[in-house]
Amino acid sequence: MKPALRPPTITDVATAAGVSPMTVSRVLNGRGGAGEETRQRVLEVAQALNYRPNAFAQSLKNDRSNTVGIVVPDIVNPFFPEIIRGAELVARPAGYTLLSCNVIEDPEREEEVLGTLLDKRVDGVIICSARLDDERLLHAIAPHRAVVLINRSAAKRHAGTIEVDYRSGVEAAVTQLVAQGRRRFGFAAGLASSHGGRKRREGIEAVLARHGLALVFDAPCTPDIKGGAEIAARLLPEAARLDTVVCYNDLIALGLMKPLERAGVRVPEDIAIIGCDDIPAASLVSPALTTLRIAKQDLGEMAMRMLLDRIAGRNAQQGIVIEPDLIWRATTPTL
């Protein structure tokens, strides 16, 4: 068996070009110090040999890896790939490689991944909808050079933040439904560890309290279609007590709708349903889902720009709050 061919080194380029390794280094790093003929010869030889600089060695020398991480709770949820896409659109032109990490809604894995990214010497990290509690999250991000949190608050010395104002969005939707005569609200709350879930509940309860009402159904579930089906199983025996269900996200709402239909519960006549996120399927199901729309790609782009600023030591913009848009469709009564 032939031994594997080793990748070419800077010494190989220097020997083939008839110059010193120092000259090759200066040419490839754009530092000058060589005539035009020598520069062209070095570049041609490097290309012919398919020479690639040792990125790890360069990162040690420059204290930069030109990589950044993005951590999401569940890559299967259509909400998060669009955020990753937006982040990638900003990172790549800036010369950064984006490492995407899926923690499958597991706080332990989230903590482990943040440690792994630190070991990989990433220059910064974006964390979407962190599931760690405040103390563990702050401990995990403290060693990182630059951090941006999406849908989580933190002091500016710890991280830049971009938050969606779910509370005001839910308040607007519930206010409309109360004005239409809806009184018996339920909440399919998602994970108990979700910061955004707590904000949604606050929005519902604020409106209901103003009208002397209270939630008649409030249950946690996984933030996916299976979670919606589980909510349906719990909700159906007491469906007559409800006329509206606000869901943590669209996936839960979609998982809830089919069991209701099979049970003969009409949407929205018997129970109105509201989702959150406006994933593509929300407008394709029948009846089409009323939801809160977040510009997810824009969210990723904003987060990456903020992260690059923090990597560069420019921390002028510490926090952004985004207002979601209420998209009124057929799972709620006509306005």
Side-chain angles (χ1 to χ4, degrees), residues 53-66:
N54 186 319
F56 181 71
Q58 286 189 331
S59 72
L60 290 176
K61 181 179 179 180
N62 301 327
D63 196 28
R64 288 286 191 276
S65 65
N66 288 338

Side-chain angles (χ1 to χ4, degrees), residues 30-179:
R31 296 202 301 268
E36 182 60 23
E37 180 182 347
T38 299
R39 191 182 75 85
Q40 286 296 333
R41 186 166 71 252
V42 168
L43 293 176
E44 289 170 5
V45 168
Q47 183 176 11
L49 294 178
N50 196 25
Y51 170 72
R52 293 172 63 92
N54 186 319
F56 181 71
Q58 286 189 331
S59 72
L60 290 176
K61 181 179 179 180
N62 301 327
D63 196 28
R64 288 286 191 276
S65 65
N66 288 338
T67 59
V68 291
I70 184 166
V71 180
V72 299
D74 188 0
I75 198 68
V76 175
N77 185 334
F79 182 80
F80 296 108
E82 289 193 52
I83 294 177
I84 293 172
R85 184 170 187 266
E88 174 73 22
L89 288 173
V90 174
R92 188 171 181 182
Y96 282 84
T97 298
L98 183 65
L99 305 179
S100 300
C101 303
N102 178 31
V103 299
I104 56 173
E105 298 288 358
D106 183 352
E108 301 295 332
R109 182 162 175 165
E110 184 173 84
E111 195 169 42
E112 178 185 330
V113 162
L114 289 171
T116 299
L117 288 173
L118 188 65
D119 292 341
K120 297 294 184 184
R121 300 177 58 83
V122 296
D123 295 329
V125 61
I126 297 170
I127 308 171
C128 302
S129 302
R131 302 309 189 202
L132 289 166
D133 63 47
D134 288 345
E135 182 178 354
R136 290 174 67 190
L137 178 61
L138 291 179
H139 183 267
I141 67 176
H144 282 273
R145 183 194 308 274
V147 179
V148 170
L149 302 177
I150 295 177
N151 287 334
R152 194 65 176 265
S153 59
K156 64 181 181 181
R157 67 181 182 277
H158 298 302
T161 60
I162 302 180
E163 295 187 82
V164 178
D165 190 357
Y166 290 114
R167 172 171 174 153
S168 69
V170 169
E171 280 193 44
V174 174
T175 297
Q176 288 279 6
L177 287 164
V178 170

Side-chain angles (χ1 to χ4, degrees), residues 49-331:
L49 294 178
N50 196 25
Y51 170 72
R52 293 172 63 92
N54 186 319
F56 181 71
Q58 286 189 331
S59 72
L60 290 176
K61 181 179 179 180
N62 301 327
D63 196 28
R64 288 286 191 276
S65 65
N66 288 338
T67 59
V68 291
I70 184 166
V71 180
V72 299
D74 188 0
I75 198 68
V76 175
N77 185 334
F79 182 80
F80 296 108
E82 289 193 52
I83 294 177
I84 293 172
R85 184 170 187 266
E88 174 73 22
L89 288 173
V90 174
R92 188 171 181 182
Y96 282 84
T97 298
L98 183 65
L99 305 179
S100 300
C101 303
N102 178 31
V103 299
I104 56 173
E105 298 288 358
D106 183 352
E108 301 295 332
R109 182 162 175 165
E110 184 173 84
E111 195 169 42
E112 178 185 330
V113 162
L114 289 171
T116 299
L117 288 173
L118 188 65
D119 292 341
K120 297 294 184 184
R121 300 177 58 83
V122 296
D123 295 329
V125 61
I126 297 170
I127 308 171
C128 302
S129 302
R131 302 309 189 202
L132 289 166
D133 63 47
D134 288 345
E135 182 178 354
R136 290 174 67 190
L137 178 61
L138 291 179
H139 183 267
I141 67 176
H144 282 273
R145 183 194 308 274
V147 179
V148 170
L149 302 177
I150 295 177
N151 287 334
R152 194 65 176 265
S153 59
K156 64 181 181 181
R157 67 181 182 277
H158 298 302
T161 60
I162 302 180
E163 295 187 82
V164 178
D165 190 357
Y166 290 114
R167 172 171 174 153
S168 69
V170 169
E171 280 193 44
V174 174
T175 297
Q176 288 279 6
L177 287 164
V178 170
Q180 292 177 329
R182 301 282 167 148
R183 292 292 184 272
R184 304 185 305 278
F185 283 77
F187 181 38
L191 295 174
S193 60
S194 170
H195 175 78
R198 292 192 290 273
K199 293 297 183 182
R200 291 164 174 78
R201 180 183 287 103
E202 288 173 8
I204 301 170
E205 291 179 337
V207 178
L208 296 183
R210 289 198 292 269
H211 293 84
L213 304 171
L215 279 168
V216 297
F217 179 89
D218 183 359
C221 60
T222 56
D224 50 26
I225 289 176
K226 181 181 178 182
E230 291 171 353
I231 287 291
R234 299 179 61 178
L235 181 152
L236 279 170
E238 49 185 323
R241 296 178 56 225
L242 296 166
D243 59 27
T244 305
V245 178
V246 179
C247 297
Y248 169 82
N249 66 8
D250 291 346
L251 291 177
I252 293 173
L254 298 178
L256 171 64
M257 287 169 62
K258 183 59 70 174
L260 291 183
E261 179 185 343
R262 287 196 298 263
V265 178
R266 299 170 301 164
V267 176
E269 292 85 355
D270 299 325
I271 295 181
I273 297 178
I274 298 174
C276 185
D277 293 344
D278 197 28
I279 62 175
S283 63
L284 301 177
V285 295
S286 181
L289 180 64
T290 294
T291 185
L292 295 174
R293 174 181 292 165
I294 295 99
K296 296 168 279 295
Q297 182 173 308
D298 291 350
L299 187 58
E301 291 180 12
M302 283 188 285
M304 183 54 67
R305 290 192 189 98
M306 182 181 287
L307 185 68
L308 295 179
D309 280 345
R310 293 182 72 86
I311 290 170
R314 299 187 301 268
N315 297 344
Q317 192 166 41
Q318 301 291 346
I320 298 174
V321 177
I322 297 172
E323 298 287 337
D325 297 317
L326 177 56
I327 308 301
W328 203 266
R329 296 194 180 109
T331 59

